Amino acid sequence: MLPQEFIRAKRDGKPLDPAEIAAFIGGFEGERVTEGQVAAFAMAVFFNGLARDETVALTLAMRDSGDVLDWSGIGRPIVDKHSTGGVGDNVSLMLAPIVAACGGAVPMISGRGLGHTGGTLDKMESIPGYSVTPDNALFRKVTDEIGCAIIGQTGRLAPADKRFYGIRDVTATVESIPLITASILSKKLAAGLQGLVLDVKSGSGAFMGTEAEARALAESLVAVANGAGLKTTALLTGMDEALASDAGNAVEVRNAVRFLTGEHRDPRLQAVTLTLAGEMLALVGLAESREEGLAKATTALSDGRAAEIFGRMVHALGGPSDFVEKMDAHLPKAELVRDIVADEGGVIAAVDTRALGLAVVALGGGRTRPQDPVDHAVGLTRIAGLGTELSKGDVICSVHARSDADFEKAEAFVRGAYRFGAAPTERPAVIARFEA
Ligand code: URA
């Protein structure tokens, strides 16, 4: 079928055949399907949607546009987590070693931050020497022998998604649930996983702002992933405030190491991390039930095995051998650390989490264009959470900045992010679970 006839069918709301979908995506190679045709198809889907079987076919076609990783010979179940992204969301740094300590293999292919949300790769690159682009042999060896490796996109995983996403980004067609579903899952399927747990965020700092949108995305992801043969469940978690009490790059790595060693654990972060770990262990048969998975994960955290695995992974990928013990000597620091304090007393009634993420971007810790560099040292720490009662002069957060001017830019975002008033009704950290 000609690309224009295929686009016309979607434009007119007619069903698409899986073979036609595969042929259209196959035409991305060598740009036989033009940029204009990709954009027109994206807009037709934006308005008319895709049926579940069409979304499965699109996901599989995008997976098959490149390599699919082969983990045969690794004697552990291959399992990963994907989060739709948030602020102060350093869960991956603790989750991967916890699951590895319980017998899973977690080849965690992560992304960089864009806009107000942080990226795991930027955080890991705060560690001197750590390489997020090891060759395939080292990636495999670390995943096999240590149990987890947090790295960047390798080889040619779902190249059709890269082209499709680039075109969607500039044609106002990103916000389509079937297109988001196929985009996320094509990359996860190409990673050769046996199990996937999704952390879909809802709230002021989330990609899907409303709970209804986040639920719809979670349902679509779970149905399509299972339809494409990947065992998947999803949790809906709250992003109405920063998840960790720190947001930035090095400051979130420090938060993660303190979490792993037991020096400090933010309660909501702990709830999300351990619930995801329990879910992952149960999904791939490393625990009989979620409850048993949660208990195993909790033990691997409290007996120090997860911290030890994190330290070994960091060293195996080029970081210092004593990183966990001496992180303060290794992590970059900003020249200026100054508190933002409350002008008057009150209870924190609402937090615009997105604005906190934008404060980190204003400091240089995030990026607004994919090609921008990030400053690993800057960020926010001691971020006050929802429901906290502050007196005049109490700390709202500490700003780690390069200059007074940067501090002032961040302060404007932070002050604008907080609303004082009646204590909000508490939402649990983990709001809902979705399964096939
Ligand atoms: N993240 C992705 O990987 N793809 C999308 O389409 C949206 C978010």
Side-chain angles (χ1 to χ4, degrees), residues 162-184:
K162 195 164 182 222
R163 178 153 185 247
F164 204 177
Y165 189 85
I167 295 172
R168 287 167 57 210
D169 198 24
V170 293
T171 54
T173 48
V174 168
E175 302 92 338
S176 149
I177 286 186
L179 295 183
I180 296 169
T181 300
S183 169
I184 292 175

Side-chain angles (χ1 to χ4, degrees), residues 36-265:
Q37 289 169 328
V38 177
F41 176 65
M43 194 57 89
V45 173
F46 183 89
F47 283 115
N48 288 334
L50 287 178
R52 283 280 142 86
D53 60 335
E54 292 173 331
T55 315
V56 170
L58 178 65
T59 306
L60 292 173
M62 298 217 297
R63 174 199 67 185
D64 294 337
S65 65
D67 303 333
V68 177
L69 298 185
D70 175 10
W71 296 100
S72 53
I74 293 197
R76 304 161 174 249
I78 314 292
V79 59
D80 195 8
K81 176 253 358 180
H82 176 83
S83 155
T84 56
V87 176
D89 176 4
N90 57 353
V91 167
S92 294
L93 279 62
M94 292 88 76
L95 183 63
I98 291 172
V99 172
C102 297
V106 190
M108 199 172 253
I109 299 175
S110 306
R112 298 193 181 280
L114 187 59
H116 72 284
T117 60
T120 298
L121 284 194
D122 297 320
K123 293 169 202 174
M124 294 310 290
E125 282 185 338
S126 310
I127 302 173
Y130 189 93
S131 167
V132 297
T133 52
D135 62 28
N136 272 345
L138 182 59
F139 179 35
R140 193 180 167 85
K141 182 169 158 32
V142 176
T143 305
D144 188 16
E145 293 176 5
I146 299 175
C148 59
I150 301 177
I151 70 152
Q153 174 83 267
T154 84
R156 283 180 71 254
L157 293 192
D161 174 62
K162 195 164 182 222
R163 178 153 185 247
F164 204 177
Y165 189 85
I167 295 172
R168 287 167 57 210
D169 198 24
V170 293
T171 54
T173 48
V174 168
E175 302 92 338
S176 149
I177 286 186
L179 295 183
I180 296 169
T181 300
S183 169
I184 292 175
L185 293 178
S186 59
K187 290 172 282 202
K188 291 293 165 189
L189 285 162
L193 305 177
Q194 290 159 1
L196 173 67
V197 175
L198 295 154
D199 178 6
V200 180
K201 308 282 189 195
S202 105
S204 63
F207 179 56
M208 287 284 160
T210 70
E211 197 170 311
E213 285 169 339
R215 279 175 186 274
L217 179 60
E219 274 162 12
S220 167
L221 285 163
V222 168
V224 172
N226 285 287
L230 175 57
K231 265 201 283 185
T232 300
T233 59
L235 300 180
L236 186 64
T237 68
M239 205 20 94
D240 299 310
E241 58 184 312
L243 191 53
S245 54
D246 305 312
N249 296 296
V251 296
E252 284 191 45
V253 174
R254 188 164 186 277
N255 178 290
V257 172
R258 293 176 77 214
F259 182 106
L260 286 166
T261 57
E263 191 185 326
H264 171 83
R265 288 181 189 142

Side-chain angles (χ1 to χ4, degrees), residues 358-359 361-364 403-414:
L358 292 176
V361 176
L363 290 166
S403 66
D404 289 328
D406 285 355
F407 169 83
E408 279 157 25
K409 280 191 257 171
E411 183 181 23
F413 277 112
V414 171

